[in-house]
Amino acid sequence: MKDVKNIDDFKSKIKRVVISKEEIDAAIKKAGKQISDSYDGKPILLVSVLKGSFVFMADLCREITVPCEIGFMCAESYYEGTVSSGNVKITMDLKQDISKYHVIIVEDIIDTGRTLNEIVALLKGRNPLSLKVVTLLDKPSRRMVEFKADITLFTIPDYFVIGYGLDCGEYYRNLPYIAEYNG
Ligand code: IMP
Ligand code: MG
C-alpha cells in the first residue's frame, strides 16, 4: 500500500479492535465442533478462498476433529482502496475432483456477495456431494447479490476491516485480531 511508509503510518491506520483474538478463537471452536458433529463419517473437502481466508482456514481446520482434506482456490475482487470494483476473477482453481466430496467453502468475509456467488455457481456445476459455506465475517448491509452463508461467525456493520487474514492493499493480514481500518 503506497501510503504505508513507516511503522507510525501503519499503526495510525488501525482505528480500533473490533473482534479480539479471544472472541475469534471461541467462535472458531464452536464452528469446528458444529462441522465435526454434522460431517462425521463423510469425505470433507475444506476449500479456502485465498488470500483472505488463509488464517481462518488454518485455525478452523485445527478445531475439526473428523478426517478432512484441504483445498485452495484464489479469487481476486479488484479494489480501488476500500471499495470493490465488482469484478471477480478466479486466478487459481482447485486441484481436487469435488464430485467425491462434501465441500465446505471457507471464506473470510461476505461483502457484496459477488465473490461467493461466482464460486458457488462454479463449484455446484462440478456436482459435489454437498456444498456449504462458512464465513468468518458478514456485512449484510452491503449486498449487491443475494447470498447467505450456512455458518457465519460474526456479523458486522458497514465498515472496512483488516487483520486476521484480511488486508488493505495487501497489508495488515498478519494482525491477530479484526480491526476497523482508519481510511
Ligand atoms: P464480495 O465479493 O464483495 O462479497 O467481497 C469479497 C472479498 O472482498 C472478500 O473475500 C475480501 O477479500 C474483500 N473484502 C470485502 N470487505 C472487506 C473488508 O472490510 N476488509 C478487507 N477485505 C474485504
Ligand atoms: Mg482482500
PDB file of all heavy atoms in Angstrom, residues 77 79 84 88 107-116 139 159-162 166-167, ligand 1:
ATOM      1  N   SER A  77     -11.036  -9.982  -6.091  1.00  0.00           N
ATOM      2  CA  SER A  77     -12.012  -8.955  -6.422  1.00  0.00           C
ATOM      3  C   SER A  77     -11.242  -7.653  -6.357  1.00  0.00           C
ATOM      4  O   SER A  77     -10.627  -7.351  -5.350  1.00  0.00           O
ATOM      5  CB  SER A  77     -13.190  -8.964  -5.455  1.00  0.00           C
ATOM      6  OG  SER A  77     -12.765  -9.241  -4.151  1.00  0.00           O
ATOM      7  N   TYR A  79     -10.067  -4.084  -5.917  1.00  0.00           N
ATOM      8  CA  TYR A  79     -10.430  -2.990  -5.024  1.00  0.00           C
ATOM      9  C   TYR A  79      -9.741  -1.705  -5.411  1.00  0.00           C
ATOM     10  O   TYR A  79      -8.567  -1.689  -5.726  1.00  0.00           O
ATOM     11  CB  TYR A  79     -10.015  -3.352  -3.578  1.00  0.00           C
ATOM     12  CG  TYR A  79     -11.149  -3.962  -2.812  1.00  0.00           C
ATOM     13  CD1 TYR A  79     -11.505  -5.285  -3.045  1.00  0.00           C
ATOM     14  CD2 TYR A  79     -11.878  -3.221  -1.905  1.00  0.00           C
ATOM     15  CE1 TYR A  79     -12.563  -5.857  -2.373  1.00  0.00           C
ATOM     16  CE2 TYR A  79     -12.933  -3.785  -1.231  1.00  0.00           C
ATOM     17  CZ  TYR A  79     -13.277  -5.090  -1.460  1.00  0.00           C
ATOM     18  OH  TYR A  79     -14.324  -5.646  -0.798  1.00  0.00           O
ATOM     19  N   SER A  84     -15.034  -2.131  -3.570  1.00  0.00           N
ATOM     20  CA  SER A  84     -14.967  -3.214  -4.551  1.00  0.00           C
ATOM     21  C   SER A  84     -15.325  -2.705  -5.944  1.00  0.00           C
ATOM     22  O   SER A  84     -16.267  -1.947  -6.115  1.00  0.00           O
ATOM     23  CB  SER A  84     -15.944  -4.320  -4.147  1.00  0.00           C
ATOM     24  OG  SER A  84     -16.107  -5.231  -5.200  1.00  0.00           O
ATOM     25  N   VAL A  88     -14.837 -10.095 -10.370  1.00  0.00           N
ATOM     26  CA  VAL A  88     -14.274 -11.235  -9.647  1.00  0.00           C
ATOM     27  C   VAL A  88     -13.540 -12.107 -10.647  1.00  0.00           C
ATOM     28  O   VAL A  88     -14.082 -12.458 -11.692  1.00  0.00           O
ATOM     29  CB  VAL A  88     -15.381 -12.064  -8.959  1.00  0.00           C
ATOM     30  CG1 VAL A  88     -14.786 -13.247  -8.211  1.00  0.00           C
ATOM     31  CG2 VAL A  88     -16.202 -11.193  -8.021  1.00  0.00           C
ATOM     32  N   GLU A 107     -14.572 -18.898   3.839  1.00  0.00           N
ATOM     33  CA  GLU A 107     -14.379 -17.535   3.324  1.00  0.00           C
ATOM     34  C   GLU A 107     -14.090 -16.569   4.483  1.00  0.00           C
ATOM     35  O   GLU A 107     -14.516 -16.801   5.616  1.00  0.00           O
ATOM     36  CB  GLU A 107     -15.653 -17.124   2.541  1.00  0.00           C
ATOM     37  CG  GLU A 107     -15.674 -15.733   1.971  1.00  0.00           C
ATOM     38  CD  GLU A 107     -14.588 -15.442   0.938  1.00  0.00           C
ATOM     39  OE1 GLU A 107     -13.402 -15.594   1.280  1.00  0.00           O
ATOM     40  OE2 GLU A 107     -14.930 -15.020  -0.175  1.00  0.00           O
ATOM     41  N   ASP A 108     -13.373 -15.514   4.187  1.00  0.00           N
ATOM     42  CA  ASP A 108     -13.051 -14.528   5.233  1.00  0.00           C
ATOM     43  C   ASP A 108     -14.219 -13.582   5.495  1.00  0.00           C
ATOM     44  O   ASP A 108     -14.613 -13.367   6.633  1.00  0.00           O
ATOM     45  CB  ASP A 108     -11.776 -13.729   4.894  1.00  0.00           C
ATOM     46  CG  ASP A 108     -11.829 -13.043   3.530  1.00  0.00           C
ATOM     47  OD1 ASP A 108     -12.734 -13.350   2.718  1.00  0.00           O
ATOM     48  OD2 ASP A 108     -10.959 -12.194   3.255  1.00  0.00           O
ATOM     49  N   ILE A 109     -14.800 -13.043   4.417  1.00  0.00           N
ATOM     50  CA  ILE A 109     -15.860 -12.040   4.599  1.00  0.00           C
ATOM     51  C   ILE A 109     -16.779 -12.025   3.388  1.00  0.00           C
ATOM     52  O   ILE A 109     -16.321 -12.203   2.258  1.00  0.00           O
ATOM     53  CB  ILE A 109     -15.239 -10.638   4.866  1.00  0.00           C
ATOM     54  CG1 ILE A 109     -16.309  -9.606   5.220  1.00  0.00           C
ATOM     55  CG2 ILE A 109     -14.396 -10.154   3.706  1.00  0.00           C
ATOM     56  CD1 ILE A 109     -15.752  -8.321   5.837  1.00  0.00           C
ATOM     57  N   ILE A 110     -18.070 -11.853   3.632  1.00  0.00           N
ATOM     58  CA  ILE A 110     -19.018 -11.648   2.530  1.00  0.00           C
ATOM     59  C   ILE A 110     -19.423 -10.185   2.565  1.00  0.00           C
ATOM     60  O   ILE A 110     -19.917  -9.691   3.586  1.00  0.00           O
ATOM     61  CB  ILE A 110     -20.265 -12.546   2.649  1.00  0.00           C
ATOM     62  CG1 ILE A 110     -19.863 -14.003   2.893  1.00  0.00           C
ATOM     63  CG2 ILE A 110     -21.109 -12.434   1.380  1.00  0.00           C
ATOM     64  CD1 ILE A 110     -21.048 -14.928   3.132  1.00  0.00           C
ATOM     65  N   ASP A 111     -19.175  -9.525   1.464  1.00  0.00           N
ATOM     66  CA  ASP A 111     -19.431  -8.089   1.375  1.00  0.00           C
ATOM     67  C   ASP A 111     -20.561  -7.882   0.359  1.00  0.00           C
ATOM     68  O   ASP A 111     -21.734  -7.997   0.701  1.00  0.00           O
ATOM     69  CB  ASP A 111     -18.107  -7.428   0.962  1.00  0.00           C
ATOM     70  CG  ASP A 111     -18.158  -5.923   0.943  1.00  0.00           C
ATOM     71  OD1 ASP A 111     -18.911  -5.339   1.723  1.00  0.00           O
ATOM     72  OD2 ASP A 111     -17.418  -5.311   0.138  1.00  0.00           O
ATOM     73  N   THR A 112     -20.239  -7.652  -0.905  1.00  0.00           N
ATOM     74  CA  THR A 112     -21.300  -7.519  -1.912  1.00  0.00           C
ATOM     75  C   THR A 112     -21.949  -8.871  -2.214  1.00  0.00           C
ATOM     76  O   THR A 112     -23.069  -8.923  -2.712  1.00  0.00           O
ATOM     77  CB  THR A 112     -20.744  -6.962  -3.245  1.00  0.00           C
ATOM     78  OG1 THR A 112     -19.823  -7.912  -3.781  1.00  0.00           O
ATOM     79  CG2 THR A 112     -20.065  -5.625  -3.048  1.00  0.00           C
ATOM     80  N   GLY A 113     -21.241  -9.962  -1.959  1.00  0.00           N
ATOM     81  CA  GLY A 113     -21.751 -11.304  -2.227  1.00  0.00           C
ATOM     82  C   GLY A 113     -21.304 -11.839  -3.581  1.00  0.00           C
ATOM     83  O   GLY A 113     -21.533 -12.994  -3.909  1.00  0.00           O
ATOM     84  N   ARG A 114     -20.654 -10.990  -4.361  1.00  0.00           N
ATOM     85  CA  ARG A 114     -20.308 -11.377  -5.738  1.00  0.00           C
ATOM     86  C   ARG A 114     -19.298 -12.526  -5.793  1.00  0.00           C
ATOM     87  O   ARG A 114     -19.440 -13.437  -6.602  1.00  0.00           O
ATOM     88  CB  ARG A 114     -19.736 -10.169  -6.485  1.00  0.00           C
ATOM     89  CG  ARG A 114     -20.772  -9.110  -6.817  1.00  0.00           C
ATOM     90  CD  ARG A 114     -20.104  -8.102  -7.742  1.00  0.00           C
ATOM     91  NE  ARG A 114     -20.961  -6.993  -8.054  1.00  0.00           N
ATOM     92  CZ  ARG A 114     -20.728  -5.740  -7.646  1.00  0.00           C
ATOM     93  NH1 ARG A 114     -19.692  -5.464  -6.896  1.00  0.00           N
ATOM     94  NH2 ARG A 114     -21.542  -4.770  -7.999  1.00  0.00           N
ATOM     95  N   THR A 115     -18.288 -12.462  -4.934  1.00  0.00           N
ATOM     96  CA  THR A 115     -17.236 -13.490  -4.983  1.00  0.00           C
ATOM     97  C   THR A 115     -17.830 -14.866  -4.721  1.00  0.00           C
ATOM     98  O   THR A 115     -17.634 -15.801  -5.506  1.00  0.00           O
ATOM     99  CB  THR A 115     -16.131 -13.192  -3.937  1.00  0.00           C
ATOM    100  OG1 THR A 115     -15.652 -11.876  -4.156  1.00  0.00           O
ATOM    101  CG2 THR A 115     -14.984 -14.179  -4.036  1.00  0.00           C
ATOM    102  N   LEU A 116     -18.582 -14.988  -3.639  1.00  0.00           N
ATOM    103  CA  LEU A 116     -19.131 -16.308  -3.302  1.00  0.00           C
ATOM    104  C   LEU A 116     -20.185 -16.750  -4.289  1.00  0.00           C
ATOM    105  O   LEU A 116     -20.312 -17.940  -4.576  1.00  0.00           O
ATOM    106  CB  LEU A 116     -19.679 -16.308  -1.881  1.00  0.00           C
ATOM    107  CG  LEU A 116     -18.602 -16.599  -0.842  1.00  0.00           C
ATOM    108  CD1 LEU A 116     -19.201 -16.640   0.548  1.00  0.00           C
ATOM    109  CD2 LEU A 116     -17.882 -17.912  -1.123  1.00  0.00           C
ATOM    110  N   LYS A 139     -21.043  -8.802   6.132  1.00  0.00           N
ATOM    111  CA  LYS A 139     -21.520  -7.411   6.127  1.00  0.00           C
ATOM    112  C   LYS A 139     -22.794  -7.372   5.290  1.00  0.00           C
ATOM    113  O   LYS A 139     -22.765  -6.970   4.130  1.00  0.00           O
ATOM    114  CB  LYS A 139     -20.469  -6.495   5.476  1.00  0.00           C
ATOM    115  CG  LYS A 139     -19.281  -6.179   6.340  1.00  0.00           C
ATOM    116  CD  LYS A 139     -18.513  -4.963   5.825  1.00  0.00           C
ATOM    117  CE  LYS A 139     -17.518  -5.318   4.768  1.00  0.00           C
ATOM    118  NZ  LYS A 139     -16.537  -4.238   4.481  1.00  0.00           N
ATOM    119  N   TYR A 159     -18.280  -1.244   7.808  1.00  0.00           N
ATOM    120  CA  TYR A 159     -17.013  -0.533   7.808  1.00  0.00           C
ATOM    121  C   TYR A 159     -15.935  -1.478   7.331  1.00  0.00           C
ATOM    122  O   TYR A 159     -16.105  -2.691   7.351  1.00  0.00           O
ATOM    123  CB  TYR A 159     -16.653   0.094   9.151  1.00  0.00           C
ATOM    124  CG  TYR A 159     -16.926  -0.734  10.376  1.00  0.00           C
ATOM    125  CD1 TYR A 159     -16.287  -1.948  10.579  1.00  0.00           C
ATOM    126  CD2 TYR A 159     -17.796  -0.261  11.357  1.00  0.00           C
ATOM    127  CE1 TYR A 159     -16.528  -2.690  11.714  1.00  0.00           C
ATOM    128  CE2 TYR A 159     -18.042  -1.011  12.488  1.00  0.00           C
ATOM    129  CZ  TYR A 159     -17.408  -2.219  12.655  1.00  0.00           C
ATOM    130  OH  TYR A 159     -17.648  -2.957  13.782  1.00  0.00           O
ATOM    131  N   PHE A 160     -14.841  -0.929   6.853  1.00  0.00           N
ATOM    132  CA  PHE A 160     -13.779  -1.746   6.281  1.00  0.00           C
ATOM    133  C   PHE A 160     -12.918  -2.300   7.401  1.00  0.00           C
ATOM    134  O   PHE A 160     -12.462  -1.560   8.266  1.00  0.00           O
ATOM    135  CB  PHE A 160     -12.942  -0.929   5.296  1.00  0.00           C
ATOM    136  CG  PHE A 160     -12.167  -1.796   4.358  1.00  0.00           C
ATOM    137  CD1 PHE A 160     -12.780  -2.365   3.246  1.00  0.00           C
ATOM    138  CD2 PHE A 160     -10.827  -2.068   4.596  1.00  0.00           C
ATOM    139  CE1 PHE A 160     -12.071  -3.184   2.388  1.00  0.00           C
ATOM    140  CE2 PHE A 160     -10.100  -2.890   3.733  1.00  0.00           C
ATOM    141  CZ  PHE A 160     -10.731  -3.450   2.621  1.00  0.00           C
ATOM    142  N   VAL A 161     -12.727  -3.627   7.387  1.00  0.00           N
ATOM    143  CA  VAL A 161     -11.950  -4.259   8.458  1.00  0.00           C
ATOM    144  C   VAL A 161     -10.659  -4.879   7.926  1.00  0.00           C
ATOM    145  O   VAL A 161     -10.581  -5.259   6.752  1.00  0.00           O
ATOM    146  CB  VAL A 161     -12.778  -5.333   9.206  1.00  0.00           C
ATOM    147  CG1 VAL A 161     -13.803  -4.702  10.127  1.00  0.00           C
ATOM    148  CG2 VAL A 161     -13.442  -6.310   8.247  1.00  0.00           C
ATOM    149  N   ILE A 162      -9.700  -4.958   8.815  1.00  0.00           N
ATOM    150  CA  ILE A 162      -8.388  -5.518   8.470  1.00  0.00           C
ATOM    151  C   ILE A 162      -7.964  -6.495   9.570  1.00  0.00           C
ATOM    152  O   ILE A 162      -8.497  -6.467  10.678  1.00  0.00           O
ATOM    153  CB  ILE A 162      -7.317  -4.399   8.329  1.00  0.00           C
ATOM    154  CG1 ILE A 162      -7.365  -3.446   9.550  1.00  0.00           C
ATOM    155  CG2 ILE A 162      -7.494  -3.632   7.034  1.00  0.00           C
ATOM    156  CD1 ILE A 162      -6.246  -2.430   9.586  1.00  0.00           C
ATOM    157  N   LEU A 166      -7.409 -10.552   6.621  1.00  0.00           N
ATOM    158  CA  LEU A 166      -7.978  -9.513   5.748  1.00  0.00           C
ATOM    159  C   LEU A 166      -6.991  -8.357   5.575  1.00  0.00           C
ATOM    160  O   LEU A 166      -6.349  -7.932   6.531  1.00  0.00           O
ATOM    161  CB  LEU A 166      -9.292  -8.989   6.337  1.00  0.00           C
ATOM    162  CG  LEU A 166     -10.430  -9.992   6.284  1.00  0.00           C
ATOM    163  CD1 LEU A 166     -10.766 -10.473   7.670  1.00  0.00           C
ATOM    164  CD2 LEU A 166     -11.631  -9.392   5.615  1.00  0.00           C
ATOM    165  N   ASP A 167      -6.960  -7.862   4.346  1.00  0.00           N
ATOM    166  CA  ASP A 167      -5.956  -6.850   4.034  1.00  0.00           C
ATOM    167  C   ASP A 167      -6.567  -5.518   3.630  1.00  0.00           C
ATOM    168  O   ASP A 167      -7.764  -5.416   3.333  1.00  0.00           O
ATOM    169  CB  ASP A 167      -5.106  -7.315   2.856  1.00  0.00           C
ATOM    170  CG  ASP A 167      -5.885  -7.259   1.532  1.00  0.00           C
ATOM    171  OD1 ASP A 167      -6.996  -7.828   1.475  1.00  0.00           O
ATOM    172  OD2 ASP A 167      -5.399  -6.632   0.581  1.00  0.00           O
TER     173      ASP A 167
HETATM  174  P1  IMP B   1     -17.558  -9.545  -2.122  1.00  0.00           P
HETATM  175  O1  IMP B   1     -17.313 -10.228  -3.430  1.00  0.00           O
HETATM  176  O2  IMP B   1     -17.887  -8.099  -2.299  1.00  0.00           O
HETATM  177  O3  IMP B   1     -18.524 -10.277  -1.237  1.00  0.00           O
HETATM  178  O4  IMP B   1     -16.190  -9.425  -1.367  1.00  0.00           O
HETATM  179  C1  IMP B   1     -15.438 -10.483  -1.055  1.00  0.00           C
HETATM  180  C2  IMP B   1     -13.984 -10.129  -0.860  1.00  0.00           C
HETATM  181  O5  IMP B   1     -13.725  -8.725  -0.733  1.00  0.00           O
HETATM  182  C3  IMP B   1     -13.560 -10.733   0.444  1.00  0.00           C
HETATM  183  O6  IMP B   1     -13.189 -12.073   0.269  1.00  0.00           O
HETATM  184  C4  IMP B   1     -12.420  -9.841   0.853  1.00  0.00           C
HETATM  185  O7  IMP B   1     -11.208 -10.289   0.289  1.00  0.00           O
HETATM  186  C5  IMP B   1     -12.780  -8.476   0.282  1.00  0.00           C
HETATM  187  N1  IMP B   1     -13.389  -7.604   1.324  1.00  0.00           N
HETATM  188  C6  IMP B   1     -14.670  -7.246   1.455  1.00  0.00           C
HETATM  189  N2  IMP B   1     -14.872  -6.458   2.535  1.00  0.00           N
HETATM  190  C7  IMP B   1     -13.651  -6.326   3.111  1.00  0.00           C
HETATM  191  C8  IMP B   1     -13.196  -5.647   4.309  1.00  0.00           C
HETATM  192  O8  IMP B   1     -13.929  -4.990   5.078  1.00  0.00           O
HETATM  193  N3  IMP B   1     -11.863  -5.764   4.555  1.00  0.00           N
HETATM  194  C9  IMP B   1     -10.995  -6.482   3.773  1.00  0.00           C
HETATM  195  N4  IMP B   1     -11.397  -7.138   2.685  1.00  0.00           N
HETATM  196  C10 IMP B   1     -12.713  -7.071   2.349  1.00  0.00           C
END
